[in-house]
Amino acid sequence: MPQHLILRLEAPLMAFGGTMIDANGPTLDLPIRSMVTGLIANALGWQRGERERHQRLQDRLVVGARLDRPGTALRDFQTAQLGGNDKAWTTRGLPEGRAGGANTYKSPHIRQRHYRADAFVTVALRLDPPEEDPTLATIEAALRAPARPLFIGRKACLPSRPVLAEPALQADNILVALKLAPLARPDIPRTQHGDGKQKVRFAVPPSECSDDMQRQSRLLADVRDWVAGVHAGESRIEHFALPTEEIAAAISAEDLP
């Protein structure tokens, strides 16, 4: 039976990516595989230039998530007055200069960034194949004592609790691992469905759930081409909700290990 790590993502602000258009950066409700790849790579102390290592890690990751606390959507409207001599850092690790005539600097630089405020997300992950380096044990050790400060999606999104505090658990698949991980915050209201049951939302790969489940299949842009430095692919993800009684007994976030 394979080993799975359980991550607990809680923060005043979190951002889970999405398809960016112009300067409008959206966020999803649940994390995507490329974001989890970057989180792990940061904990391991990898440099951004180690692109093949990032790519192989993403290719091996099997990830699913559960929305324990939805939080609320937050939109940050950002402006900055930039001059011709101002420079910006890029993902290439080099400062980027500015061009254009004097009139191009009269208006501020404007962008929008979207976040989830006060959310709590439980993530289950494993590696396939498991024996390659880094192993799940290596990742577990790195998340317990990360090489650098971790953030959830964007650098301003610092976690309010350790990302990993629970030992790895054995489960048949990602869905079973998520059901074995206790719900956080039993005092919060859950989504009420037509049958009167309180339910929690899940998102897992198709191979990680049974065929007889009622679910909605979606294509999600969660694959990054780390070598080229762009998002370049989609994965089919199954979205569904399960009654709380099918999940391990809830405990408060403060009582989580």
Side-chain angles (χ1 to χ4, degrees), residues 43-250:
L44 290 166
W46 291 0
Q47 302 297 319
R48 293 189 70 98
E50 298 178 271
R51 299 178 179 183
E52 289 79 9
R53 297 180 80 181
H54 284 73
Q55 188 66 54
R56 183 54 185 161
L57 175 60
Q58 177 182 268
D59 293 343
R60 295 173 58 210
L61 272 178
V62 185
V63 180
R66 186 185 73 202
L67 190 59
D68 286 18
R69 185 172 69 227
T72 56
L74 184 147
R75 179 177 66 91
D76 187 20
F77 179 72
Q78 303 174 349
T79 66
Q81 189 69 48
L82 301 175
N85 295 323
D86 293 327
K87 296 183 178 181
W89 286 100
T90 67
T91 56
R92 303 185 301 275
L94 298 173
E96 182 177 59
R98 302 177 63 80
N103 290 334
T104 62
Y105 303 110
K106 290 183 177 180
S107 298
H109 177 69
I110 295 175
R111 68 180 190 177
Q112 298 183 67
R113 293 293 182 265
H114 298 256
Y115 301 87
R116 300 300 304 178
D118 196 33
F120 195 113
V121 174
T122 297
V123 174
L125 67 90
R126 71 171 187 271
L127 296 170
D128 185 22
E131 65 276 1
E132 283 187 35
D133 185 58
T135 63
L136 205 66
T138 302
I139 292 174
E140 181 177 10
L143 289 172
R144 291 189 188 282
R148 292 190 292 263
L150 302 181
F151 52 89
I152 306 175
R154 297 193 181 110
K155 295 182 181 66
C157 301
L158 302 179
S160 55
R161 54 170 290 111
V163 170
L164 180 71
E166 301 165 74
L169 57 82
Q170 290 186 327
D172 290 331
N173 54 44
I174 291 291
L175 177 56
V176 173
L178 287 171
K179 292 169 72 173
L180 289 173
L183 276 170
R185 300 295 298 269
D187 56 316
I188 66 171
R190 312 286 180 186
T191 302
Q192 290 278 359
H193 288 252
D195 55 8
K197 294 183 177 180
Q198 291 188 337
K199 296 185 179 182
V200 178
R201 287 176 49 203
F202 289 74
V204 302
S207 60
E208 303 300 306
C209 54
S210 58
D211 294 334
D212 58 348
M213 293 177 56
Q214 291 186 348
R215 61 198 195 222
Q216 183 180 27
S217 183
R218 305 177 191 171
L219 283 175
L220 185 65
D222 70 335
V223 178
R224 182 176 179 83
D225 185 331
W226 289 92
V227 177
V230 295
H231 279 272
E234 296 177 321
S235 298
R236 188 167 296 279
I237 304 296
E238 307 296 334
H239 291 254
F240 51 89
L242 293 179
T244 54
E245 57 262 29
E246 295 187 20
I247 307 168

